Amino acid sequence: MSELKAELAAGPESRTALPSVVIRFAGDSGDGIQITGSRFTDTTALAGNDLATFPDFPAEIRAPVGTTFGVSAFQINFGARHIETHGDDPNVLVALNPAALKVNINRLKKGGSIIVDTGSFNSRNLKKAGYDENPLEDGSLSDYNILEVDISRHVLESVKDFGLSQKEGLRCKNFWVLGLVYWIYGRDRTDTVNWLKAKFAKRPEIAEANIAALNAGHVYGEAAELSDSIGLFSVAPAEMKKGLYRTVTGAEALAWGLVAGSELAGLDIFFGSYPITPASPILHSLAKLKQFGVQTFQAEDEIAAICSAIGASYAGALGITSSSGPGIALKGEAIGLAISTELPLVIVNSQRAGPSTGMPTKTEQSDLYQAVYGRNGDAPLAVVAAHGPGDCFEAAIEACRIATKYMTPVMLLTDGYIGNAAEPWLIPSMKDREPFKVTHETNPEDFHPFDRDEKTLARKWAIPGTPGLEHRIGGIEKEDGAGHISYDPANHQRMTDLRRDKILNIANDIPKAKPEQGPETGDLAVVGWGSTFGPISRAVANKLSENKSVAHIHIRHLWPFPANLEELLKGYKKVIVPEMNDGQLKTVLRDQYLLDAIPVTKVTGQPFKISEIEAAIDAALES
Amino acid sequence: MNVIAPKDKMKPADFASDQEVRWCPGCGDYAILKAVQRTLPDLDTPKENYVFVSGIGCSSRFPYYMSTYGFHTIHGRAPAFATGIKLANPELDVWMVTGDGDGFSIGGNHMLHALRRNADMQILLCNNEIYGLTKGQYSPTSETGLKTPSSPTGSVESPLKPCVFALGSGGHFIARGYDTQKTLPEILKRAHAHKGTSLVEILQNCIVYNDAVFDNVLARDVASDRQLHLVHGEPMIFGKDSDKGIRFNPLTFSLEVVTLGQDGITESDLLVHDETNKSLASLIAEMGGDDFPTAFGVIYCNPAATYDENMTKQVEQAKAYDPEPSLDALLRQGHTWEV
């Protein structure tokens, strides 16, 4: 253990030990806020804290500098205890310009600290941010501790020996601030220095300038007696399950989970996709994994993306397509074809705020109706949702398993929040996994393309290139078994029933629903799905510690539901359903079980706060 | 040593499925189906490797009538399915069958990108200049002024020319034929031999909604004066008496029809077909109408690297670099720490 770590663990007098801290870095989208946040994340993880992050950035690539709509932010919650969310209200706000202050000040906890770059608080920037007066001077920030530093000037001073232009020099501002924050929380700079050296291996002067800025920020903290202004703190390592960890974003974990799923199925991946926020990082991750037999196809549009994936599945690969809500809408007709031809397909939906284009960089979970109901005809498929960054790995494997075992499209739901957020992840081992090896049909004896496995009702997967199995499939209704075109009324009824039963039958092949926390019967069940896992989990834990009779039930399989879900939910006097939409899971639960579930909805593009869910629990228990 | 007896050569009938063909009696698609069934036995592809992919429309019923593998997909999207099939298994011999509405209206975007990407497959475009299956509306290739249920006072759209479109999209093999053409299998064989995306426009008569639309080119009495059959390396001669030819006028930068023997014009004045010349192909593809014959045969053939080859190469290179990729190792790369 380094000296610093030892000092932190001992909790020196000069540092106040905290169980957890929430910091929000904010600045112009050109200030490198996301890089600052991810460096702080890695360093914090290496220090042994549990953590959760929330990158919150604008849709504009480079909005005009200094404006409020160009503000990019990164929030991290880290602690000496288990961390489930990125934290309700920040304790610390780093604001690199007036616009960043203006946009984020209302989130800051009363009594919290603000670090501002006074160098950017000139009349021009204040005006751009919409301030009539300088908030640093008009007393409007009297509720907070403010650390005013002319960061711009300090940065230029610290990098003056590297021959950079003023503009290039100022771009090191984020690392200067990072150095300062590292000092405040007693963090080691080594990891960040190594990262900079690797990142700018081809431009060492840039690496060195940023390292100089990082060190200068740190030295400034040492010299400035911060303990008197905003304080010095320590956050001890968290108790975590033993093993090897890394940080992971949902998009990375999902891509790796798909590769894991294809390995367990013994198939190559064909990934057809079209760029869309916030789904693109999955394409980017998979495009780097060709050595695993992954083909990525950047199609001309969403429809071509899914159609190419269905074609690949028809030819024997594991076809996967990925998009966000508007793109999934375009894929609708092709999804119906995959259902009708009974081909395996994984459809990843990285949900964002809607309707239509909605708010591309803001999160929501409002595509559940689209997933469960959103196609022409009676067109059932399986729906699976991930509940956090690391969990995306597990959800992806499960989607691959169901798709190949049941010869069906599976909708895999994630969202912008999970996709971009990072958390420490106990790295799984492939050797612990049960393979679900797929076999393609090869026996020409009495072969019919729509003959089914009696148990799973899945049809046989015969692929082109197999002698003697030549057959035709398509979207027109087909005769049960033979697969020939059929307009026979009774046959259409039978095929519709079969397609429905095949999917409903999956309910018997998934884990039973059980509370994540709390009693198996009681006063209140808080039922969630997807990325609300974190805030619900913490809120229910808090209420359980107040001896309230409340349970948290989180649903991974949204269609079909686990076989025992109805029975479980009916064991509670009340059921509330917090979700980031206008009440979609609530509707599906009512539809399936005539259950009077109470919606708790939020559609602001921002994840739930723990306090909001606690308030909903209190209200439900008291009413 | 065992000697493997040569397999009996397949016959056209071996490629007919057991399904009853349900095109209208007299439909040009019958002839195209027969031409394809006559073509396949002469190719060295095992029967199980043929895949016929189609979209929606009369001609897109084609796969059901072939005893090969077939996928009848959705409107306009057959190029995307075909691309996915070819990439997932490059051994397969992929044939796409489409119509003018399917391929160039709802599927125009996919057609453009399929031609540009150049995956190895054949695209048979059955062009009857009308929507058949939806009962006779004008299509993107219909002549301006065509009266149909959706254009009762005459279509005001200008027609799309598939071969010109294909050249503009960066296609590397473009040919034209017609449904009852005896030599259609020869054109199909050329398309098949070409590595890359081959587009064959096949003028096809719709007996119900657009009957005789190509009569000014195909009718027996005018055929020889209205058709130019292209032969690579040969001068462009046509006409009942083989006395007409195509000449390039450098002053107007355009083609003109000339008569041999008139004004001292000899065969050496005529353009010689060079199917690798894209500029020439553009001029030939545009020909038709009242002033020019319509060109048949291989208009353009200029092979380039194919999409499936390049994709496969990248995957193979990645595998060569990392022959035993381990997901466990991948997950443990970069920043990790032990708790």
Side-chain angles (χ1 to χ4, degrees), chain A residues 42 45 191 243 245-246 290-291 295 297 300-301 307-308 311 314 428 430 465-466 469-474 484, chain B residues 19 48 63 67-70 72 80-81 84-85 87 109-110 117 307 325 328 331-333 335-337 339:
Chain A
D42 272 14
D191 179 64
Y245 281 79
R246 67 175 301 148
K290 295 187 173 66
Q291 67 273 28
Q295 280 188 331
F297 174 63
E300 58 271 25
D301 64 23
C307 292
S308 64
Y314 171 67
M430 286 302 287
T466 317
L469 300 188
E470 290 86 349
H471 66 279
R472 278 68 52 197
I473 61 173
H484 300 315
Chain B
Q19 299 297 294
E48 62 269 18
S67 70
T68 62
Y69 284 95
H72 179 225
F81 287 93
I85 292 168
L87 293 178
N109 183 35
H110 307 302
R117 287 195 188 101
Y307 188 61
D328 280 328
L331 299 184
R332 283 158 183 79
Q333 269 170 23
H335 287 284
T336 61
W337 67 96
V339 170

Short mmCIF file of all heavy atoms in Angstrom, two decimals, chain A residues 42 45 191 243 245-246 290-291 295 297 300-301 307-308 311 314 428 430 465-466 469-474 484, chain B residues 19 48 63 67-70 72 80-81 84-85 87 109-110 117 307 325 328 331-333 335-337 339:
data_model
loop_
_atom_site.label_atom_id
_atom_site.label_comp_id
_atom_site.label_asym_id
_atom_site.label_seq_id
_atom_site.Cartn_x
_atom_site.Cartn_y
_atom_site.Cartn_z
N ASP A 42 -11.45 5.97 -13.52
CA ASP A 42 -10.46 4.89 -13.44
C ASP A 42 -9.60 5.02 -12.18
O ASP A 42 -9.31 4.03 -11.51
CB ASP A 42 -9.56 4.91 -14.69
CG ASP A 42 -10.17 4.07 -15.82
OD1 ASP A 42 -11.38 3.74 -15.70
OD2 ASP A 42 -9.48 3.75 -16.79
N ALA A 45 -11.63 3.96 -9.23
CA ALA A 45 -11.78 2.50 -9.18
C ALA A 45 -10.50 1.86 -8.67
O ALA A 45 -10.54 0.95 -7.84
CB ALA A 45 -12.12 1.98 -10.58
N ASP A 191 -1.84 6.69 -12.67
CA ASP A 191 -2.64 6.07 -13.71
C ASP A 191 -2.96 7.07 -14.82
O ASP A 191 -2.91 6.74 -16.01
CB ASP A 191 -3.94 5.53 -13.09
CG ASP A 191 -4.82 4.89 -14.14
OD1 ASP A 191 -4.38 3.89 -14.71
OD2 ASP A 191 -5.92 5.41 -14.39
N GLY A 243 -12.09 -10.59 -6.23
CA GLY A 243 -11.90 -10.96 -7.62
C GLY A 243 -11.21 -9.86 -8.41
O GLY A 243 -10.80 -8.85 -7.83
N TYR A 245 -11.24 -6.89 -11.10
CA TYR A 245 -12.21 -5.89 -11.56
C TYR A 245 -11.66 -5.04 -12.70
O TYR A 245 -10.45 -4.91 -12.88
CB TYR A 245 -12.55 -4.94 -10.40
CG TYR A 245 -13.53 -5.48 -9.42
CD1 TYR A 245 -13.13 -6.38 -8.43
CD2 TYR A 245 -14.87 -5.10 -9.46
CE1 TYR A 245 -14.04 -6.89 -7.52
CE2 TYR A 245 -15.78 -5.59 -8.55
CZ TYR A 245 -15.36 -6.49 -7.58
OH TYR A 245 -16.27 -6.98 -6.69
N ARG A 246 -12.59 -4.45 -13.43
CA ARG A 246 -12.29 -3.39 -14.37
C ARG A 246 -13.49 -2.46 -14.40
O ARG A 246 -14.55 -2.82 -13.88
CB ARG A 246 -12.04 -3.95 -15.78
CG ARG A 246 -13.31 -4.55 -16.40
CD ARG A 246 -13.09 -4.98 -17.84
NE ARG A 246 -12.69 -3.83 -18.61
CZ ARG A 246 -11.85 -3.90 -19.66
NH1 ARG A 246 -11.38 -5.05 -20.05
NH2 ARG A 246 -11.53 -2.81 -20.32
N LYS A 290 -13.00 -8.48 -34.96
CA LYS A 290 -13.08 -9.39 -36.11
C LYS A 290 -12.39 -10.72 -35.84
O LYS A 290 -12.75 -11.74 -36.42
CB LYS A 290 -12.45 -8.73 -37.34
CG LYS A 290 -13.21 -7.51 -37.82
CD LYS A 290 -12.64 -7.00 -39.14
CE LYS A 290 -13.50 -5.89 -39.71
NZ LYS A 290 -13.48 -4.68 -38.89
N GLN A 291 -11.37 -10.71 -34.96
CA GLN A 291 -10.66 -11.97 -34.69
C GLN A 291 -11.58 -13.02 -34.07
O GLN A 291 -11.29 -14.21 -34.10
CB GLN A 291 -9.44 -11.72 -33.78
CG GLN A 291 -9.74 -11.28 -32.36
CD GLN A 291 -9.91 -9.77 -32.22
OE1 GLN A 291 -10.31 -9.08 -33.15
NE2 GLN A 291 -9.64 -9.25 -31.04
N GLN A 295 -18.47 -10.18 -37.96
CA GLN A 295 -18.56 -9.29 -39.11
C GLN A 295 -19.46 -8.13 -38.75
O GLN A 295 -20.58 -8.34 -38.27
CB GLN A 295 -19.18 -10.02 -40.31
CG GLN A 295 -18.21 -10.90 -41.06
CD GLN A 295 -18.82 -11.44 -42.34
OE1 GLN A 295 -20.04 -11.63 -42.42
NE2 GLN A 295 -18.00 -11.70 -43.33
N PHE A 297 -21.40 -4.85 -40.30
CA PHE A 297 -21.84 -4.28 -41.58
C PHE A 297 -22.52 -2.96 -41.29
O PHE A 297 -23.57 -2.93 -40.64
CB PHE A 297 -22.81 -5.28 -42.24
CG PHE A 297 -23.47 -4.77 -43.50
CD1 PHE A 297 -22.70 -4.46 -44.62
CD2 PHE A 297 -24.85 -4.64 -43.57
CE1 PHE A 297 -23.32 -4.00 -45.79
CE2 PHE A 297 -25.46 -4.19 -44.72
CZ PHE A 297 -24.70 -3.88 -45.83
N GLU A 300 -26.73 0.96 -45.19
CA GLU A 300 -27.13 2.27 -45.71
C GLU A 300 -28.30 2.86 -44.92
O GLU A 300 -28.54 4.06 -44.99
CB GLU A 300 -27.48 2.19 -47.20
CG GLU A 300 -28.57 1.20 -47.58
CD GLU A 300 -28.04 -0.20 -47.87
OE1 GLU A 300 -26.96 -0.55 -47.35
OE2 GLU A 300 -28.72 -0.95 -48.60
N ASP A 301 -29.02 2.04 -44.21
CA ASP A 301 -30.08 2.56 -43.35
C ASP A 301 -30.49 1.47 -42.35
O ASP A 301 -29.96 0.36 -42.37
CB ASP A 301 -31.28 3.11 -44.16
CG ASP A 301 -32.00 2.04 -44.97
OD1 ASP A 301 -31.90 0.83 -44.62
OD2 ASP A 301 -32.70 2.39 -45.94
N CYS A 307 -32.23 -6.20 -42.24
CA CYS A 307 -32.45 -7.18 -43.30
C CYS A 307 -31.16 -7.97 -43.56
O CYS A 307 -31.20 -9.18 -43.77
CB CYS A 307 -32.93 -6.51 -44.57
SG CYS A 307 -34.60 -5.83 -44.39
N SER A 308 -30.02 -7.29 -43.52
CA SER A 308 -28.76 -8.01 -43.73
C SER A 308 -28.54 -9.01 -42.60
O SER A 308 -28.07 -10.13 -42.83
CB SER A 308 -27.60 -7.03 -43.81
OG SER A 308 -27.43 -6.34 -42.58
N GLY A 311 -30.73 -11.95 -43.20
CA GLY A 311 -30.12 -12.74 -44.27
C GLY A 311 -28.99 -13.60 -43.73
O GLY A 311 -28.86 -14.78 -44.07
N TYR A 314 -30.36 -16.46 -41.79
CA TYR A 314 -30.86 -17.45 -42.75
C TYR A 314 -29.70 -18.31 -43.26
O TYR A 314 -29.84 -19.52 -43.45
CB TYR A 314 -31.57 -16.72 -43.88
CG TYR A 314 -31.96 -17.58 -45.05
CD1 TYR A 314 -32.95 -18.56 -44.92
CD2 TYR A 314 -31.35 -17.42 -46.30
CE1 TYR A 314 -33.31 -19.35 -46.00
CE2 TYR A 314 -31.71 -18.20 -47.38
CZ TYR A 314 -32.68 -19.18 -47.23
OH TYR A 314 -33.03 -19.96 -48.29
N PRO A 428 -16.14 -11.57 -15.43
CA PRO A 428 -16.60 -12.97 -15.44
C PRO A 428 -15.63 -13.89 -16.19
O PRO A 428 -14.75 -13.41 -16.90
CB PRO A 428 -17.93 -12.88 -16.21
CG PRO A 428 -17.78 -11.70 -17.10
CD PRO A 428 -16.84 -10.74 -16.41
N MET A 430 -15.36 -17.15 -18.85
CA MET A 430 -16.15 -17.91 -19.82
C MET A 430 -16.25 -19.38 -19.43
O MET A 430 -17.21 -20.06 -19.78
CB MET A 430 -15.55 -17.77 -21.21
CG MET A 430 -15.78 -16.43 -21.86
SD MET A 430 -17.54 -16.01 -21.99
CE MET A 430 -18.05 -17.12 -23.29
N GLY A 465 -26.66 -24.36 -48.61
CA GLY A 465 -25.38 -25.04 -48.70
C GLY A 465 -25.48 -26.47 -48.18
O GLY A 465 -24.55 -27.25 -48.36
N THR A 466 -26.63 -26.81 -47.56
CA THR A 466 -26.82 -28.17 -47.06
C THR A 466 -27.51 -29.00 -48.15
O THR A 466 -28.62 -28.68 -48.56
CB THR A 466 -27.72 -28.16 -45.81
OG1 THR A 466 -27.32 -27.08 -44.97
CG2 THR A 466 -27.62 -29.46 -45.06
N LEU A 469 -31.66 -30.27 -48.59
CA LEU A 469 -32.64 -29.56 -47.76
C LEU A 469 -33.18 -28.30 -48.45
O LEU A 469 -33.75 -27.42 -47.79
CB LEU A 469 -32.01 -29.16 -46.42
CG LEU A 469 -31.48 -30.29 -45.54
CD1 LEU A 469 -31.07 -29.76 -44.17
CD2 LEU A 469 -32.51 -31.39 -45.38
N GLU A 470 -32.97 -28.20 -49.77
CA GLU A 470 -33.40 -27.00 -50.47
C GLU A 470 -34.87 -26.70 -50.16
O GLU A 470 -35.73 -27.57 -50.23
CB GLU A 470 -33.22 -27.17 -51.99
CG GLU A 470 -31.78 -27.20 -52.45
CD GLU A 470 -31.13 -28.58 -52.39
OE1 GLU A 470 -31.73 -29.50 -51.79
OE2 GLU A 470 -30.02 -28.74 -52.94
N HIS A 471 -35.11 -25.46 -49.76
CA HIS A 471 -36.48 -25.06 -49.44
C HIS A 471 -36.61 -23.56 -49.56
O HIS A 471 -35.60 -22.85 -49.65
CB HIS A 471 -36.86 -25.51 -48.01
CG HIS A 471 -36.06 -24.82 -46.95
ND1 HIS A 471 -34.79 -25.22 -46.60
CD2 HIS A 471 -36.33 -23.75 -46.17
CE1 HIS A 471 -34.32 -24.43 -45.65
NE2 HIS A 471 -35.23 -23.52 -45.37
N ARG A 472 -37.83 -23.09 -49.55
CA ARG A 472 -38.11 -21.67 -49.69
C ARG A 472 -38.84 -21.18 -48.45
O ARG A 472 -39.75 -21.86 -47.96
CB ARG A 472 -39.02 -21.42 -50.90
CG ARG A 472 -38.35 -21.35 -52.23
CD ARG A 472 -37.74 -22.63 -52.77
NE ARG A 472 -38.62 -23.79 -52.78
CZ ARG A 472 -38.18 -25.05 -52.90
NH1 ARG A 472 -36.90 -25.33 -52.98
NH2 ARG A 472 -39.04 -26.05 -52.90
N ILE A 473 -38.41 -20.00 -47.95
CA ILE A 473 -39.17 -19.39 -46.86
C ILE A 473 -39.49 -17.94 -47.24
O ILE A 473 -38.90 -17.39 -48.16
CB ILE A 473 -38.41 -19.42 -45.51
CG1 ILE A 473 -37.10 -18.63 -45.60
CG2 ILE A 473 -38.16 -20.84 -45.07
CD1 ILE A 473 -36.40 -18.48 -44.26
N GLY A 474 -40.41 -17.35 -46.53
CA GLY A 474 -40.78 -15.98 -46.83
C GLY A 474 -41.83 -15.49 -45.86
O GLY A 474 -42.22 -16.18 -44.92
N HIS A 484 -45.05 -24.43 -47.37
CA HIS A 484 -45.52 -23.87 -48.63
C HIS A 484 -46.50 -22.72 -48.35
O HIS A 484 -47.15 -22.70 -47.31
CB HIS A 484 -46.23 -24.93 -49.48
CG HIS A 484 -45.34 -26.10 -49.81
ND1 HIS A 484 -44.06 -25.95 -50.25
CD2 HIS A 484 -45.57 -27.45 -49.75
CE1 HIS A 484 -43.51 -27.14 -50.45
NE2 HIS A 484 -44.40 -28.07 -50.14
N GLN B 19 -43.92 -26.49 -56.83
CA GLN B 19 -45.01 -25.52 -56.66
C GLN B 19 -45.58 -25.09 -58.01
O GLN B 19 -44.83 -24.87 -58.97
CB GLN B 19 -44.50 -24.29 -55.90
CG GLN B 19 -44.00 -24.61 -54.51
CD GLN B 19 -45.10 -25.16 -53.63
OE1 GLN B 19 -46.05 -24.47 -53.30
NE2 GLN B 19 -44.99 -26.45 -53.27
N GLU B 48 -27.10 -27.19 -54.05
CA GLU B 48 -27.46 -26.72 -52.70
C GLU B 48 -26.87 -25.35 -52.37
O GLU B 48 -27.20 -24.76 -51.36
CB GLU B 48 -27.02 -27.74 -51.64
CG GLU B 48 -25.53 -27.99 -51.56
CD GLU B 48 -25.05 -29.14 -52.47
OE1 GLU B 48 -25.81 -29.51 -53.39
OE2 GLU B 48 -23.94 -29.64 -52.26
N PRO B 63 -38.50 -17.20 -56.31
CA PRO B 63 -37.85 -18.27 -55.52
C PRO B 63 -38.74 -19.48 -55.27
O PRO B 63 -38.25 -20.61 -55.20
CB PRO B 63 -37.52 -17.56 -54.19
CG PRO B 63 -37.41 -16.13 -54.53
CD PRO B 63 -38.43 -15.91 -55.63
N SER B 67 -36.24 -24.95 -57.35
CA SER B 67 -36.05 -25.98 -56.32
C SER B 67 -34.73 -25.78 -55.59
O SER B 67 -34.17 -26.72 -55.04
CB SER B 67 -36.10 -27.38 -56.95
OG SER B 67 -34.95 -27.57 -57.73
N THR B 68 -34.23 -24.57 -55.59
CA THR B 68 -33.02 -24.23 -54.84
C THR B 68 -33.43 -23.68 -53.48
O THR B 68 -34.61 -23.65 -53.14
CB THR B 68 -32.23 -23.15 -55.59
OG1 THR B 68 -33.06 -21.98 -55.65
CG2 THR B 68 -31.88 -23.59 -56.99
N TYR B 69 -32.45 -23.21 -52.70
CA TYR B 69 -32.80 -22.43 -51.52
C TYR B 69 -33.37 -21.10 -51.97
O TYR B 69 -32.94 -20.54 -52.99
CB TYR B 69 -31.56 -22.20 -50.63
CG TYR B 69 -31.18 -23.43 -49.84
CD1 TYR B 69 -30.22 -24.32 -50.32
CD2 TYR B 69 -31.80 -23.72 -48.63
CE1 TYR B 69 -29.89 -25.47 -49.61
CE2 TYR B 69 -31.49 -24.86 -47.91
CZ TYR B 69 -30.54 -25.73 -48.41
OH TYR B 69 -30.22 -26.87 -47.70
N GLY B 70 -34.35 -20.60 -51.23
CA GLY B 70 -34.97 -19.34 -51.62
C GLY B 70 -35.49 -18.57 -50.44
O GLY B 70 -35.87 -19.14 -49.41
N HIS B 72 -38.05 -15.33 -49.90
CA HIS B 72 -38.97 -14.29 -50.37
C HIS B 72 -39.10 -13.29 -49.23
O HIS B 72 -39.65 -13.60 -48.19
CB HIS B 72 -40.32 -14.96 -50.68
CG HIS B 72 -41.38 -14.03 -51.14
ND1 HIS B 72 -42.67 -14.07 -50.66
CD2 HIS B 72 -41.36 -13.03 -52.06
CE1 HIS B 72 -43.40 -13.15 -51.26
NE2 HIS B 72 -42.64 -12.50 -52.11
N ALA B 80 -30.39 -6.05 -49.37
CA ALA B 80 -29.80 -6.12 -48.02
C ALA B 80 -29.77 -7.57 -47.52
O ALA B 80 -28.78 -8.01 -46.94
CB ALA B 80 -30.59 -5.24 -47.06
N PHE B 81 -30.85 -8.31 -47.76
CA PHE B 81 -30.86 -9.73 -47.37
C PHE B 81 -29.76 -10.48 -48.13
O PHE B 81 -29.02 -11.27 -47.56
CB PHE B 81 -32.22 -10.37 -47.68
CG PHE B 81 -33.32 -9.94 -46.76
CD1 PHE B 81 -34.14 -8.87 -47.09
CD2 PHE B 81 -33.53 -10.59 -45.56
CE1 PHE B 81 -35.16 -8.47 -46.24
CE2 PHE B 81 -34.55 -10.20 -44.70
CZ PHE B 81 -35.37 -9.14 -45.04
N GLY B 84 -26.37 -9.81 -46.71
CA GLY B 84 -26.15 -10.53 -45.45
C GLY B 84 -25.89 -12.01 -45.69
O GLY B 84 -25.01 -12.62 -45.06
N ILE B 85 -26.62 -12.60 -46.62
CA ILE B 85 -26.45 -14.03 -46.93
C ILE B 85 -25.05 -14.27 -47.50
O ILE B 85 -24.33 -15.17 -47.08
CB ILE B 85 -27.53 -14.49 -47.93
CG1 ILE B 85 -28.91 -14.48 -47.26
CG2 ILE B 85 -27.20 -15.87 -48.49
CD1 ILE B 85 -30.08 -14.63 -48.24
N LEU B 87 -22.35 -12.41 -47.24
CA LEU B 87 -21.27 -12.15 -46.29
C LEU B 87 -21.16 -13.27 -45.25
O LEU B 87 -20.07 -13.67 -44.85
CB LEU B 87 -21.46 -10.80 -45.59
CG LEU B 87 -21.32 -9.57 -46.49
CD1 LEU B 87 -21.59 -8.31 -45.70
CD2 LEU B 87 -19.93 -9.51 -47.11
N ASN B 109 -32.70 2.84 -52.79
CA ASN B 109 -31.55 3.11 -51.94
C ASN B 109 -30.68 1.85 -51.77
O ASN B 109 -29.46 1.90 -51.89
CB ASN B 109 -32.05 3.59 -50.57
CG ASN B 109 -30.93 3.97 -49.63
OD1 ASN B 109 -29.92 4.49 -50.07
ND2 ASN B 109 -31.11 3.69 -48.36
N HIS B 110 -31.34 0.73 -51.53
CA HIS B 110 -30.56 -0.51 -51.33
C HIS B 110 -29.88 -0.93 -52.63
O HIS B 110 -28.78 -1.46 -52.61
CB HIS B 110 -31.47 -1.62 -50.81
CG HIS B 110 -32.25 -1.22 -49.60
ND1 HIS B 110 -31.64 -0.79 -48.45
CD2 HIS B 110 -33.59 -1.15 -49.37
CE1 HIS B 110 -32.57 -0.48 -47.55
NE2 HIS B 110 -33.75 -0.68 -48.10
N ARG B 117 -21.27 -1.40 -53.46
CA ARG B 117 -20.43 -2.27 -52.62
C ARG B 117 -19.82 -3.41 -53.41
O ARG B 117 -18.74 -3.86 -53.14
CB ARG B 117 -21.27 -2.87 -51.49
CG ARG B 117 -21.62 -1.88 -50.42
CD ARG B 117 -22.12 -2.59 -49.17
NE ARG B 117 -22.61 -1.59 -48.27
CZ ARG B 117 -23.89 -1.31 -48.08
NH1 ARG B 117 -24.82 -1.99 -48.72
NH2 ARG B 117 -24.25 -0.36 -47.26
N TYR B 307 -16.96 -6.90 -52.39
CA TYR B 307 -17.19 -6.57 -50.98
C TYR B 307 -16.98 -7.79 -50.09
O TYR B 307 -16.34 -7.70 -49.03
CB TYR B 307 -18.62 -6.07 -50.86
CG TYR B 307 -18.97 -5.50 -49.51
CD1 TYR B 307 -18.30 -4.41 -49.01
CD2 TYR B 307 -19.99 -6.07 -48.75
CE1 TYR B 307 -18.63 -3.87 -47.77
CE2 TYR B 307 -20.33 -5.54 -47.52
CZ TYR B 307 -19.65 -4.45 -47.03
OH TYR B 307 -19.97 -3.93 -45.82
N PRO B 325 -8.25 -16.20 -30.39
CA PRO B 325 -8.74 -15.09 -29.57
C PRO B 325 -9.45 -15.60 -28.33
O PRO B 325 -10.18 -16.59 -28.39
CB PRO B 325 -9.71 -14.36 -30.50
CG PRO B 325 -10.17 -15.40 -31.45
CD PRO B 325 -9.01 -16.34 -31.63
N ASP B 328 -11.88 -14.20 -22.50
CA ASP B 328 -11.38 -14.00 -21.14
C ASP B 328 -10.19 -13.03 -21.14
O ASP B 328 -10.11 -12.14 -20.29
CB ASP B 328 -10.95 -15.35 -20.53
CG ASP B 328 -12.15 -16.13 -20.01
OD1 ASP B 328 -13.11 -15.48 -19.56
OD2 ASP B 328 -12.13 -17.37 -20.07
N LEU B 331 -11.35 -9.39 -21.89
CA LEU B 331 -11.98 -8.73 -20.75
C LEU B 331 -10.95 -8.29 -19.71
O LEU B 331 -11.23 -7.39 -18.91
CB LEU B 331 -13.00 -9.66 -20.08
CG LEU B 331 -14.17 -10.14 -20.95
CD1 LEU B 331 -15.14 -10.97 -20.14
CD2 LEU B 331 -14.90 -8.97 -21.59
N ARG B 332 -9.79 -8.94 -19.74
CA ARG B 332 -8.77 -8.61 -18.74
C ARG B 332 -7.72 -7.64 -19.26
O ARG B 332 -6.74 -7.36 -18.57
CB ARG B 332 -8.13 -9.92 -18.24
CG ARG B 332 -9.05 -10.63 -17.25
CD ARG B 332 -8.78 -12.12 -17.13
NE ARG B 332 -9.75 -12.73 -16.23
CZ ARG B 332 -11.00 -13.07 -16.58
NH1 ARG B 332 -11.43 -12.83 -17.81
NH2 ARG B 332 -11.83 -13.60 -15.70
N GLN B 333 -7.92 -7.15 -20.48
CA GLN B 333 -6.97 -6.17 -21.03
C GLN B 333 -7.20 -4.80 -20.40
O GLN B 333 -8.30 -4.46 -20.05
CB GLN B 333 -7.17 -6.04 -22.54
CG GLN B 333 -6.30 -6.99 -23.34
CD GLN B 333 -6.70 -7.01 -24.80
OE1 GLN B 333 -7.31 -6.06 -25.29
NE2 GLN B 333 -6.37 -8.08 -25.49
N HIS B 335 -6.96 -1.56 -17.82
CA HIS B 335 -6.95 -1.32 -16.39
C HIS B 335 -7.75 -2.38 -15.64
O HIS B 335 -8.95 -2.48 -15.81
CB HIS B 335 -7.61 0.03 -16.09
CG HIS B 335 -6.75 1.17 -16.46
ND1 HIS B 335 -5.67 1.56 -15.71
CD2 HIS B 335 -6.79 2.01 -17.52
CE1 HIS B 335 -5.09 2.58 -16.29
NE2 HIS B 335 -5.74 2.90 -17.39
N THR B 336 -7.09 -3.15 -14.81
CA THR B 336 -7.81 -4.08 -13.94
C THR B 336 -7.22 -3.96 -12.55
O THR B 336 -6.11 -3.45 -12.39
CB THR B 336 -7.66 -5.54 -14.40
OG1 THR B 336 -6.28 -5.87 -14.36
CG2 THR B 336 -8.21 -5.76 -15.80
N TRP B 337 -7.96 -4.37 -11.58
CA TRP B 337 -7.41 -4.38 -10.21
C TRP B 337 -8.06 -5.50 -9.42
O TRP B 337 -9.18 -5.91 -9.72
CB TRP B 337 -7.61 -3.03 -9.52
CG TRP B 337 -9.03 -2.68 -9.24
CD1 TRP B 337 -9.69 -2.87 -8.07
CD2 TRP B 337 -9.96 -2.07 -10.13
NE1 TRP B 337 -10.99 -2.42 -8.18
CE2 TRP B 337 -11.18 -1.92 -9.44
CE3 TRP B 337 -9.89 -1.63 -11.47
CZ2 TRP B 337 -12.31 -1.37 -10.02
CZ3 TRP B 337 -11.01 -1.08 -12.05
CH2 TRP B 337 -12.21 -0.94 -11.32
N VAL B 339 -9.44 -7.19 -5.97
CA VAL B 339 -10.02 -6.85 -4.66
C VAL B 339 -9.86 -8.07 -3.77
O VAL B 339 -10.14 -9.18 -4.22
CB VAL B 339 -11.50 -6.46 -4.78
CG1 VAL B 339 -12.14 -6.35 -3.39
CG2 VAL B 339 -11.63 -5.14 -5.51
#
